[in-house]
Amino acid sequence: VPVTPDLLMTPSDQGDVDLDVDFAADRGNWTGKLDFLLSCIGYCVGLGNVWRFPYRAYTNGGGAFLVPYFLMLAICGIPLFFLELSLGQFSSLGPLAVWKISPLFKGAGAAMLLIVGLVAIYYNMIIAYVLFYLFASLTSTLPWEHCGNWWNTERCLEHRGTKHGNGALPLNLSSTVSPSEEYWSRYVLHIQGSQGIGSPGEIRWNLCLCLLLAWVIVFLCILKGVKSSGKVVYFTATFPYLILLMLLVRGVTLPGAWKGIQFYLTPQFHHLLSSKVWIEAALQIFYSLGVGFGGLLTFASYNTFHQNIYRDTFIVTLGNAITSILAGFAIFSVLGYMSQELGVPVDQVAKAGPGLAFVVYPQAMTMLPLSPFWSFLFFFMLLTLGLDSQFAFLETIVTAVTDEFPYYLRPKKAVFSGLICVSMYLMGLILTTDGGMYWLVLLDDYSASFGLMVVVITTCLAVTRVYGIQRFCRDIHMMLGFKPGLYFRACWLFLSPATLLALLVYSIVKYQPSEYGSYRFPAWAELLGILMGLLSCLMIPAGMLLAVLRQEGSLWERLQQASRPTMDWGPSLEENRTGMYVATLAGSQSPKPLMVHMRKYGGITSFENTAIEVDREIAEEEESMM
């Protein structure tokens, strides 16, 4: 029986070769056909669809914004989405181990993890705020309906009754504050207790407990990996649509709703001449599809080898875009109603970001009959939207690290998930202080800004230029039964990286310091933010350095070896290894195709002699049998 040459074995195989055989089986798979699709939809459709897209659309030309939005979806969104799914499904590996495709770029995987870790810390804080409001809605009158509470100031004014019969406003609204705004900033955040980002003040125990609850929910849902989160998404990915439709029907039937919708969608085509609109459209697509965070790659790695991800790509990307547009109708119909009630233009009511979810919309709810019911529904929708995105972030981290150290961590995956949740909860405690919002804004502005674009550009170039677009298309052909067409190849090779590079340059040129309301961040906080973004970028050259140091030979030889796929790169199950991937797995009985592979793609210097010897032995055996 031919012996497996040592070069095929990883150090952990040496003692026990059987370990490798059950690898993919141990790793787990989705339990149902829809698990993967719903998980992807849940991951992509998040809070940003509700509080970022509608605002971006109305500030960038209303209906005209949909032109660059769908164009950027075609150039950047769909191709990069498909690229990430293909990588994950082909290799059945997480964001770190997938770089067996070209170990030189493993730093991009580490950078993904750093970004996703930082995002997960503050994203769960937003879920904690949502939980806070969810519990606060369980009353007969909403606590942010009236002034006169201990947290209100003399500037507080209940805006609802300010319009007289003649439609004239009795006083200047700009010098007053709505009760919902004071409830958010003075009661929930208690921001008056902080002097700024440098002196965050005390921990708010109610927020601290909400954050704990958020982490407990996330932990329980990812406890069994994709087996448990794959079941939870049947609820969290579909239920928001039901609530969104209810809110939409309620919104459209309100007086003044048409005013808001008109404002949201009236196309102002002159906006298309400004580069800002195209940049905003690309950023919206980029962030809302979650490309580059590793979540798509992780989810696809739990698929069966021949799952039709080509179809899934279009379902998820187009579904995500339609959801954003629908959410815009639901939000702006209510804002139109508010503007009519308050007698102010719609643009004075509209806000982006957390302000929309925690100030404007709650205020609108107080004007409706059965306000606690609508408020509860709205926050329950935000909770389900946020949770499945958070599952993906956590699953990405856990999968990446367990794939890297499968022998130690895979049997203890639940314990490891728990440890990650606990440590992230502790790191997030700074966000529950009086000045926590300043830290949240800093994390939001810098953790996934230019660093994320650098990671995606690197991934795109490594796969298409270093690994080779032909080989990548051949891999996809082996997996799906057809090669990607000209559209995908053109986008991967030129259009997507070029667009992202333009975005990156634009975001650096147009850089603006962070701010929260009227608060300007001090220079050290700015620097901290920039370093946070740079740290993920620096992971890439650091990874390259490590990869090169592990090889032998001159610098050029080392670079060449480090950029080639490793011996065990390819589908994880032996039955899926066809063509050049046949029998390149450890424990396989026929090393011959491996030798062909080594001659074709160049072997690793110190092992070349062994390979040639084994090859010669096989040739002699075959001759003697004839």
Side-chain angles (χ1 to χ4, degrees):
V1 178
V3 181
T4 308
D6 285 348
L7 76 154
L8 288 183
M9 298 192 174
T10 56
S12 19
D13 295 333
Q14 305 284 330
D16 186 0
V17 181
D18 290 339
L19 273 172
D20 232 13
V21 183
D22 309 308
F23 236 30
D26 288 353
R27 197 171 178 274
N29 280 91
W30 297 110
T31 47
K33 283 271 183 209
L34 275 174
D35 295 16
F36 167 69
L37 192 61
L38 287 176
S39 294
C40 282
I41 289 171
Y43 167 57
C44 297
V45 177
L47 299 170
N49 296 62
V50 174
W51 73 38
R52 243 181 227 125
F53 177 84
Y55 186 82
R56 275 206 166 139
Y58 114 79
T59 48
N60 291 299
F65 180 69
L66 296 178
V67 177
Y69 181 74
F70 278 103
L71 201 67
M72 289 300 171
L73 179 66
I75 292 175
C76 267
I78 294 171
L80 293 173
F81 196 92
F82 185 49
L83 176 99
E84 204 170 311
L85 290 187
S86 303
L87 270 179
Q89 183 166 307
F90 183 75
S91 63
S92 301
L93 296 169
L96 273 177
V98 78
W99 288 102
K100 286 178 177 179
I101 191 171
S102 183
L104 190 64
F105 295 96
K106 193 168 186 172
M112 261 182 197
L113 283 197
L114 176 70
I115 292 170
V116 97
L118 290 169
V119 170
I121 290 171
Y122 82 79
Y123 203 83
N124 231 17
M125 189 65 223
I126 297 173
I127 294 174
Y129 292 140
V130 171
L131 284 168
F132 191 98
Y133 270 83
L134 194 65
F135 296 135
S137 303
L138 299 171
T139 52
S140 51
T141 52
L142 294 171
W144 55 87
E145 199 165 332
H146 303 292
C147 297
N149 302 293
W150 66 259
W151 59 82
N152 293 125
T153 61
E154 62 280 2
R155 289 179 60 209
C156 178
L157 174 72
E158 290 172 37
H159 289 174
R160 42 194 310 183
T162 51
K163 202 172 66 156
H164 291 311
N166 60 2
L169 286 169
L171 64 154
N172 182 7
L173 275 183
S174 61
S175 62
T176 62
V177 183
S178 68
S180 68
E181 196 161 330
E182 290 206 334
Y183 179 80
W184 164 241
S185 63
R186 296 181 59 81
Y187 179 66
V188 181
L189 299 178
H190 200 257
I191 207 156
Q192 68 272 24
S194 159
Q195 302 298 304
I197 193 166
S199 54
E202 293 179 10
I203 284 182
R204 306 268 298 135
W205 288 107
N206 43 13
L207 284 182
C208 190
L209 291 171
C210 284
L211 184 63
L212 181 64
L213 178 62
W215 277 112
V216 170
I217 294 171
V218 170
F219 171 66
L220 290 176
C221 293
I222 65 156
L223 183 62
K224 297 253 189 315
V226 291
K227 282 191 169 59
S228 53
S229 67
K231 289 291 165 264
V232 179
V233 290
Y234 278 85
F235 177 72
T236 56
T238 53
F239 198 67
Y241 286 98
L242 183 68
I243 302 183
L244 194 60
L245 283 173
M246 288 171 73
L247 290 171
L248 181 63
V249 172
R250 180 69 193 121
V252 176
T253 53
L254 291 169
W258 179 242
K259 204 166 145 188
I261 291 172
Q262 211 176 352
F263 197 85
Y264 165 54
L265 280 186
T266 304
Q268 299 155 334
F269 287 107
H270 64 274
H271 276 275
L272 297 184
L273 298 173
S274 98
S275 62
K276 176 177 169 281
V277 173
W278 294 85
I279 299 283
E280 294 262 303
L283 285 174
Q284 180 62 30
I285 284 290
F286 188 63
Y287 286 121
S288 74
L289 287 178
V291 177
F293 287 101
L296 299 169
L297 202 148
T298 303
F299 282 163
S301 74
Y302 290 105
N303 276 341
T304 51
F305 189 66
H306 298 295
Q307 162 96 2
N308 188 352
I309 43 174
Y310 183 75
R311 176 199 60 205
D312 296 345
T313 296
F314 286 97
I315 294 175
V316 178
T317 51
L318 295 171
N320 177 58
I322 292 162
T323 309
S324 297
I325 295 165
L326 256 181
F329 279 107
I331 297 287
F332 269 88
S333 58
V334 174
L335 296 183
Y337 164 70
M338 267 183 90
S339 91
Q340 179 157 318
E341 286 291 296
L342 299 175
V344 294
V346 181
D347 57 353
Q348 284 186 30
V349 182
K351 260 188 188 165
L356 175 78
F358 300 120
V359 177
V360 180
Y361 219 79
Q363 187 190 348
M365 294 301 153
T366 62
M367 301 176 179
L368 297 177
L370 291 176
S371 53
F373 170 71
W374 294 109
S375 175
F376 181 84
L377 271 192
F378 176 70
F379 286 108
F380 195 71
M381 176 182 78
L382 288 188
L383 177 68
T384 49
L385 282 175
L387 277 177
D388 35 28
S389 299
Q390 184 71 1
F391 297 158
F393 296 149
L394 266 277
E395 194 59 64
T396 301
I397 298 168
V398 173
T399 299
V401 184
T402 46
D403 279 352
E404 208 47 27
F405 306 103
Y407 303 98
Y408 312 109
L409 293 179
R410 211 165 269 166
K412 304 185 182 69
K413 199 169 176 182
V415 179
F416 180 59
S417 303
L419 285 173
I420 286 185
C421 288
V422 170
S423 53
M424 286 195 152
Y425 168 65
L426 294 174
M427 284 188 266
L429 282 178
I430 181 94
L431 303 176
T432 64
T433 56
D434 294 338
M437 195 61 189
Y438 299 131
W439 285 97
L440 192 138
V441 169
L442 192 74
L443 275 166
D444 187 33
D445 282 355
Y446 292 102
S447 60
S449 54
F450 53 94
L452 188 65
M453 286 179 212
V454 171
V455 169
V456 178
I457 294 169
T458 308
T459 305
C460 211
L461 295 177
V463 171
T464 56
R465 307 292 169 130
V466 180
Y467 181 66
I469 186 98
Q470 296 304 336
R471 287 167 74 183
F472 186 56
C473 289
R474 202 166 51 229
D475 290 347
I476 292 175
H477 186 198
M478 186 172 134
M479 183 167 65
L480 301 181
F482 60 87
K483 281 190 178 176
L486 183 65
Y487 156 65
F488 279 104
R489 291 207 296 271
C491 287
W492 288 336
L493 277 170
F494 310 108
L495 296 173
S496 303
T499 310
L500 288 176
L501 200 60
L503 276 183
L504 183 63
V505 172
Y506 180 87
S507 60
I508 293 169
V509 171
K510 293 278 181 187
Y511 168 75
Q512 279 180 326
S514 287
E515 51 188 53
Y516 178 70
S518 56
Y519 177 77
R520 298 282 177 280
F521 283 73
W524 64 265
E526 285 299 312
L527 189 64
L528 186 70
I530 293 167
L531 286 174
M532 194 159 48
L534 280 177
L535 187 60
S536 52
C537 299
L538 291 173
M539 293 275 194
I540 299 170
M544 287 178 166
L545 187 67
L546 271 175
V548 167
L549 290 174
R550 282 182 178 156
Q551 303 300 336
E552 299 170 4
S554 68
L555 181 62
W556 177 241
E557 284 169 349
R558 285 172 179 232
L559 273 171
Q560 276 185 305
Q561 288 153 26
S563 56
R564 285 190 196 113
T566 60
M567 286 298 161
D568 53 352
W569 164 252
S572 66
L573 292 176
E574 197 147 351
E575 66 253 32
N576 296 325
R577 287 184 168 249
T578 53
M580 62 180 245
Y581 294 106
V582 175
T584 52
L585 266 180
S588 124
Q589 291 305 303
S590 155
K592 187 163 186 183
L594 178 75
M595 305 314 137
V596 178
H597 174 89
M598 290 183 72
R599 285 195 186 138
K600 197 166 175 187
Y601 300 106
I604 299 170
T605 43
S606 59
F607 297 126
E608 232 150 21
N609 297 334
T610 325
I612 291 162
E613 269 173 43
V614 174
D615 215 356
R616 194 186 301 123
E617 279 171 25
I618 291 175
E620 283 168 16
E621 265 178 36
E622 281 174 355
E623 276 171 28
S624 64
M625 285 169 76
M626 279 176 179

